[in-house]
Amino acid sequence: MDRAARLSSPEDASVAAARKLHLLLRSRDLRPALSYLRTLPSPLTLLPNHALNALLRALAAAGRVRAAASLFRRIPCPTPHSFNSLLAALLRRGRRRAASALFAAFLRSPSASPDVATLNTLLHGLSTASPQPSPPALLRLFHFLPETYAFAPDAISYNSLLSALCRAGDMLTARKLFDGMHVGEEGRGAACPNVITYTTMIKAYCAKRLVNEALEIFKMMVADGVEPNKITYNTMVQGFCDAGRMELVKKVLEMDSFKPDTCTFNTLIAAHCREGRMENAMKVFNQMVELRVRRDSASYSMVIRALCGNGEFGRAEELVDVLLEKEVLKKRGGCTPLIAAYNPVFVYLCEHGKTKKARMLFGQLLDRRSKVDVPAFKTLILGHCREGDFEEGYELVLSMLKRDLVPDDECYIAVIDGFSQKGRMKFALEALHRMLNSGLRPSTSTFHSVLLGLLNKDGCAKEAADLIEIMLERKIRQNVDLSTNLIDTLFRNNLKDRCYKIVTSLYDHGYYIKMEKLIASLCEEKKFTVAADLTLFSLEKHQNLDVAIPSMVMDGLCTTGRASEAFRLFYELIENRSASAAVAAPRSLVALHHALEESGKMKEADFVAKQMRRASARIRERI
């Protein structure tokens, strides 16, 4: 038979497909394998059982639980290994109900053959799940599967159950199970305790301050020829320190088989610091150098915090210098340092003009992805602002916002006031906007301070207008002088439409501006048309103006060839004032009369002359 004929047989096609699938599954990326499956005409029929089980395990390992479960239901003969993989994936995802349903379905299958790996998967997955099953439920499972399917639990099975019992605080049951490992249970072969077994029991007894029982387990461990590891020794050191049994700690340290490491020394330092034995803590800290044990970030942070608590800030700062010089915080490994542990030294440095050093330390802590701490941010922000480095303070404010933290009023005000003092008003306004967006309400004086700064800064007229509109929207009390200066500034910058809008809004909200001052200023700038508009606006709002003001406006309009506008103003003044009140100075009326005659407005000139005669008659009557 030639090669083409051999490849055309169904058996050879199945082998070739399985071989290619196994090859594709070696990659961490499942997409090529899944794409290949889609090219096969009938993968569940074509692929052999071992290839389908390999695919199921790969799907479960990649967290594709739904796809793995669907495949499991369709595989003709799923192996216990495949079942265990899917079961473990479900439990890792916290899907206990789905895992229980899968397990029940598996047991109902005639070909079901759970093994010790199944037991270990269930014990580990259930004991670390939330909520945890009760110890009796785990014990029933521990006995049921081996008895029903004739296999013996191994050390992993015992260790998983022991760990669950100890976490639940059921030490009597845990001890009974532990003792059973030595003699075997109900005739089954005994699983020998290993270093994990002993260490689990020692840790559990230490957690309950039962140090004598922990020592008993340790002696049993040595007698059984099981060599303790660093975790065992450090567990005892931690437990004995917590129980205040320092004499037992000394005995552990003197054991020939134990070489203390960083964790050991950190435990001792923490114990001394907790009890206020500062010199003992420093002695242990210095011994780390003598014994060539690496100091990590935890070593430094505990000692620095304790020194600060003891008022020894100078010594604490010396250690900070060493910490920064050796870049201890940049070294990976060990626990992640807590920023909060350094708060006392941050406060000390910032209060003594050394905020840059505190910022350097803070930056290294952030680089280690330490848990962020709002008080630390605030300390550094205020420290930078006290030293006049408002840009750095603002950078920290932005850093907080990026981390979804909200700086408080004091942080924002320090930055805003600082930028205002330096005349960097756009930054001050930006910080004010961020404060508002953070849901905080600045004081009225803060708004007024920023507005004043914007008005005194060239090129910030639009920003000042934006701010006063925000103030009106948020019902912030207005300052009449600032409002007047703003309108004047806007007119000077030829923002007439914006001016009218803000003036109207101010009066609509119950505020006013110093119109006489503003109109006089406009007249000085020879903006008589605008001055006339504001005069008419004042009349509309029933704001009394001195006679000199409309006279000034009318004179300006007349001298610039706008007699018609001057007459319109005069007419509105007549309409709005009482018959007995003077609307303009006599000389201004004379100037208006002449201007109207010169421009050919004889009807209007006659009206003005008539009003002049009436005014003269009223004056004679009073005399």
Side-chain angles (χ1 to χ4, degrees), residues 512-537:
Y512 67 95
I513 58 177
K514 293 182 177 180
M515 278 294 185
E516 293 183 350
K517 177 182 177 182
L518 181 60
I519 292 171
S521 176
L522 289 169
C523 290
E524 289 178 7
E525 295 288 320
K526 300 191 182 302
K527 295 181 178 181
F528 300 110
T529 301
V530 176
D533 290 338
L534 288 181
T535 304
L536 292 173
F537 180 84

Side-chain angles (χ1 to χ4, degrees), residues 299-309 316 319-320 323 341-342 344-345:
S299 314
Y300 281 93
S301 65
M302 285 187 293
V303 175
I304 289 171
R305 185 179 180 87
L307 287 170
C308 290
L319 289 180
V320 168
L323 190 70
Y342 291 88
V345 78

Side-chain angles (χ1 to χ4, degrees), residues 120-135 138 156-175 177 196 199-205 207-208:
N120 293 343
T121 299
L122 283 167
L123 287 174
H124 176 74
L126 292 173
S127 64
T128 56
S130 179
Q132 294 180 4
S134 64
L138 293 175
I156 296 175
S157 312
Y158 277 94
N159 289 342
S160 295
L161 183 56
L162 273 175
S163 180
L165 292 170
C166 290
R167 279 198 299 271
D170 190 352
M171 291 307 300
L172 291 176
T173 306
R175 183 56 186 266
L177 182 68
I196 297 175
T199 304
T200 298
M201 293 299 295
I202 290 171
K203 182 178 180 180
Y205 278 127
K208 289 186 169 291

Side-chain angles (χ1 to χ4, degrees), residues 337-353:
L338 294 175
I339 291 180
Y342 291 88
N343 274 341
V345 78
F346 287 146
V347 173
Y348 170 76
L349 292 172
C350 291
E351 288 180 348
H352 289 77

